[in-house]
Amino acid sequence: MIVLGIETSCDETAAAVVTDGREIRANVVLSQLDDHTPYGGVVPEIAARAHLEHLDGLVRRAMEEAGVGFGDLDAVAATGGPGLIGGVIVGVMTAKAISAARGLPFVAVNHLEGHALTARLTDDVPFPYLLLLVSGGHCQLLVVEGVGRYRRLGTTIDDAVGEAFDKTAKLLGLGYPGGPLVEKAAGRATDPGRFELPRPMIGRPGCDFSFSGLKTAVRRHVEELPRPLSEADQADLAAAFQRTVAEVMADRCARAIRLFKEAHPGGGALVVAGGVAANKTLRARLSDLAAAEAMPFVAPPLNLCTDNAAMIAWAGLERLRLGETDSLNFAPRPRWPLDPSAAPAIGRKGVGSGVKA
Ligand code: KG4
Ligand code: ZN
């Protein structure tokens, strides 16, 4: 089976062609970074217009690279939410048009499910597994029991972790997007132990996260330092922030592992997904934790951690195999939780607001 995937939920316009043999035939991503950088963040209107302008060309390119025509496809899948609604509409309408014109099944994919199932595309990971989903809009621990079957163990009660990286980068004067810049700056630290930051939630029961206190602590340090910050100050603070995040993640994951093992004595892998999973310090820390717990550790390659359409095509394929396709009446969803039965986290403002997924 061959599926075309389309991703337009945030600031990446992407198209990909993937087979049920887990082969990525094409995976093209156009970042709108330059369009949004002057504003220090993603501007929804600009994003939607850029998707509209580029998506057709990207679909054509992906299909050329894959060496397939519309007649070779078994389905077309597009992100149906959560995300910036203007962009999601562009992707969904494009997919529906192809589907209607070619008589192909249409699959509306939850963007988060795309991240969640990537480890099955890259590493053929069997169900169940424990997933740490860390992106610009989400920070969740989930038990993935099957396609469409997610049990949330914890979530953030304030900021998402990618958001915390982005805000920290701003505070340090590093620019946008924050995650990769904080990681780069941390790599230049000459005295990485110089700053101690509070480690929110460590040792607390449950598997929830909190990052707003950490961000405030970074701001306090910045206010006490001569500005503009020297490169050394930026680097040492970035290193402290990154180390603290990795420690908090490891603590929360250790708790989730206990719950996971109780529910699934047969075991399963620890999987990390989402844009923040590109962070090498975090990956190393989680890999150590998994080794100590005798669990396989799976982290997709960097280009499949950040937003892409291969993950959407793959999630579409997984649904197609189960006969789960969508009607052309599907309405794009700004919010779309993976585990609708999970209670909203206390204190989380704008949870699932879909500003970033
Ligand atoms: O999944 P993603 O590409 O987009 C969505 O939010 O859906 O994640 C983007 C987030 C941004 O907040 C970005 O700063 C963060 O992932 N990120 C990183 C790294 N690369 C991207 N955070 C830490 N270290 C990185 N290397
Ligand atoms: Zn994402």
Side-chain angles (χ1 to χ4, degrees), residues 111 115 135-137 162 165-166 178-180 183 274-276 278-279 306-307 356-357:
H111 177 89
H115 282 303
S135 71
F165 266 95
D166 295 335
E183 177 164 30
V276 184
N279 188 280
T306 48
D307 287 350
K356 262 207 133 201

Side-chain angles (χ1 to χ4, degrees), residues 7 9-12 82 111-112 115 133-138 160-167 169 176-184 241-242 245 273-282 302 304-308 311 355-357:
E7 158 61 35
S9 67
C10 194
D11 57 346
E12 260 100 25
H111 177 89
L112 301 172
H115 282 303
L133 177 55
V134 278
S135 71
H138 294 268
V161 60
E163 205 176 341
F165 266 95
D166 295 335
K167 288 178 178 171
Y176 167 85
L181 293 172
V182 168
E183 177 164 30
K184 235 169 131 190
F241 172 81
Q242 185 175 261
V245 168
V276 184
N279 188 280
K280 293 190 197 71
T281 301
L282 179 62
L302 303 191
L304 296 176
C305 283
T306 48
D307 287 350
N308 65 87
M311 69 179 191
V355 167
K356 262 207 133 201

